[in-house]
C-alpha cells in the first residue's frame, strides 16, 4: 500500500470511527498467545514503547513470505509466467515490510525525542526473540498451509489497527500536538500526531485486508 495520497484530516477521523465501531476479529490461539504475552511483559496500557515492539514484530511475516517466495523462484524460474507471479508477490511483501519499517522508525524517533527511558532487555533484546519466534511460526504455517499464515497476520494487523485508533481516542491532546519527523518525505506529512496514528492504524487495516484477500487465493496467484 502506498502513502503518496493521504486522506484529509476529516477522512482520517472517519477511518478512526469506522475502526472503533467495528468488532475485532475472533483471534486464533497463536494470536491470543502473542497478545497476552505482550500484555504480560509490557502492560496493558498503550504506549509508544509498546507500539515499537509491535512494529518490530509486524515486519516479520512479510519477511517469511518473501523467503518462501525466493525458494520457490529457485525451483520455478524456468516457468516465466509463474516466476513473474512470484516476483510480484515478493514485491508486494517487500513494500509491506517497508511500510511497517517507517512506522518503527517514526516511533523510535518519537520515543527518543520525548526522552522515554526504556529497559534494554524488554525493549531491545526481547522483541528480537519474539520476532525470531514469530518469523519461524509464520514460515512454517505458510509452508504447511498459506491460509494459516495469512490468518495469523490478519489477526495481528487487526489488533494493531484497533490499538492505534484506541490510542488516539485515549489521548485527545494529540490533536494539538504537531507532527515533526525526519521521515516526513518518506512516509507523509500530518498536521498533528493524532492524524499520524490514524494513518498508521489505517495502514494496518489495509495490511489486514490484503492478508484476508490472499487467504482466498493459492500460493503466488
Amino acid at each position: 500500500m502506498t502513502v503518496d495520497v493521504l486522506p484529509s484530516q476529516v477522512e482520517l477521523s472517519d477511518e478512526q470511527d469506522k475502526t472503533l465501531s467495528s468488532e475485532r476479529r475472533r483471534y486464533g490461539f497463536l494470536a491470543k498467545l502473542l497478545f497476552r504475552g505482550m500484555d504480560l511483559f509490557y502492560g496493558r496500557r498503550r504506549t509508544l514503547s509498546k507500539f515499537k515492539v509491535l512494529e518490530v514484530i509486524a515486519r516479520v511475516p512479510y519477511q517469511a513470505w518473501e523467503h518462501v517466495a525466493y525458494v520457490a523462484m529457485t525451483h520455478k524460474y524456468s516457468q516465466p509466467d509463474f516466476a513473474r507471479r512470484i516476483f510480484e508477490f515478493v514485491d508486494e511483501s517487500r513494500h509491506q515490510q517497508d511500510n511497517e519499517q517507517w512506522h518503527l522508525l517514526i516511533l523510535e524517533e518519537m520515543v527518543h525525542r520525548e526522552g522515554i527511558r526504556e529497559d534494554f532487555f524488554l525493549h531491545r533484546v526481547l522483541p528480537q526473540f519474539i520476532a525470531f519466534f514469530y518469523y519461524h511460526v509464520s514460515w512454517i504455517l505458510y509452508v504447511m498451509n498459506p491460509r494459516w499464515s495469512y490468518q495469523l497476520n490478519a489477526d495481528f494487523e487487526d489488533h494493531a489497527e484497533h490499538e492505534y485508533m484506541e490510542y488516539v481516542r485515549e489521548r485527545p491532546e494529540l490533536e494539538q500536538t504537531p507532527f515533526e519527523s525526519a521521515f516526513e518525505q518518506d512516509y507523509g506529512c500530518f498536521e498533528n500526531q493524532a492524524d499520524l496514528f490514524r494513518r498508521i492504524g489505517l495502514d494496518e487495516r489495509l495490511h489486514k485486508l490484503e492478508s484476508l484477500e490472499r487467504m482466498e487465493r493459492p500460493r503466488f496467484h
Side-chain angles (χ1 to χ4, degrees):
M1 87 109 258
T2 63
V3 296
D4 296 331
V5 179
L6 295 171
S8 69
Q9 181 177 3
V10 174
E11 290 170 335
L12 284 171
S13 297
D14 290 344
E15 296 302 333
Q16 180 189 7
D17 292 339
K18 186 183 298 184
T19 296
L20 296 178
S21 64
S22 66
E23 294 186 4
R24 297 190 183 222
R25 284 174 52 81
R26 297 182 62 182
Y27 302 142
F29 171 76
L30 289 174
K32 289 180 180 178
L33 183 65
L34 176 62
F35 302 152
R36 289 173 182 171
M38 290 194 62
D39 287 344
L40 176 64
F41 285 106
Y42 301 101
R44 298 180 63 86
R45 194 165 71 91
R46 300 173 184 92
T47 66
L48 293 178
S49 294
K50 189 176 182 182
F51 283 137
K52 266 181 50 185
V53 178
L54 270 179
E55 296 299 344
V56 169
I57 301 169
R59 302 166 299 162
V60 165
Y62 306 110
Q63 295 170 344
W65 301 340
E66 181 180 348
H67 181 200
V68 175
Y70 272 120
V71 171
M73 182 79 77
T74 301
H75 298 286
K76 298 295 184 179
Y77 63 86
S78 60
Q79 303 175 28
D81 291 340
F82 187 67
R84 176 178 291 277
R85 290 198 297 271
I86 295 176
F87 182 80
E88 290 172 350
F89 176 85
V90 168
D91 187 61
E92 178 182 316
S93 294
R94 189 172 297 153
H95 186 82
Q96 291 164 327
Q97 288 180 57
D98 291 345
N99 182 255
E100 301 288 11
Q101 183 68 48
W102 293 126
H103 297 171
L104 176 60
L105 292 174
I106 290 170
L107 288 167
E108 174 65 28
E109 182 184 51
M110 295 176 74
V111 166
H112 179 74
R113 182 175 296 161
E114 295 187 19
I116 298 173
R117 299 184 64 181
E118 295 181 334
D119 181 87
F120 179 77
F121 176 77
L122 285 179
H123 296 97
R124 297 294 177 184
V125 178
L126 184 58
Q128 298 301 321
F129 279 102
I130 298 173
F132 179 81
F133 172 78
Y134 194 48
Y135 174 92
H136 286 87
V137 169
S138 297
W139 190 91
I140 291 171
L141 289 178
Y142 192 90
V143 171
M144 293 174 61
N145 186 335
R147 183 184 178 88
W148 297 343
S149 191
Y150 292 136
Q151 181 174 341
L152 177 58
N153 190 59
D155 287 351
F156 184 92
E157 299 288 13
D158 181 79
H159 173 76
E161 173 195 351
H162 281 84
E163 290 298 289
Y164 279 114
M165 298 304 193
E166 289 284 1
Y167 183 75
V168 175
R169 178 163 66 175
E170 292 172 351
R171 292 167 171 76
E173 70 274 9
L174 295 177
E175 303 283 0
Q176 307 302 323
T177 306
F179 171 65
E180 298 176 355
S181 173
F183 306 108
E184 289 182 22
Q185 296 302 314
D186 305 289
Y187 184 70
C189 302
F190 303 90
E191 291 185 6
N192 52 60
Q193 291 187 12
D195 279 350
L196 165 71
F197 288 112
R198 290 183 182 116
R199 177 69 239 189
I200 294 177
L202 181 56
D203 287 347
E204 311 299 12
R205 183 200 302 167
L206 295 175
H207 295 167
K208 172 185 68 177
L209 294 176
E210 288 164 352
S211 286
L212 291 175
E213 181 184 354
R214 283 198 168 274
M215 284 175 62
E216 306 305 321
R217 292 183 284 164
R219 288 184 175 89
F220 313 127
H221 286 260

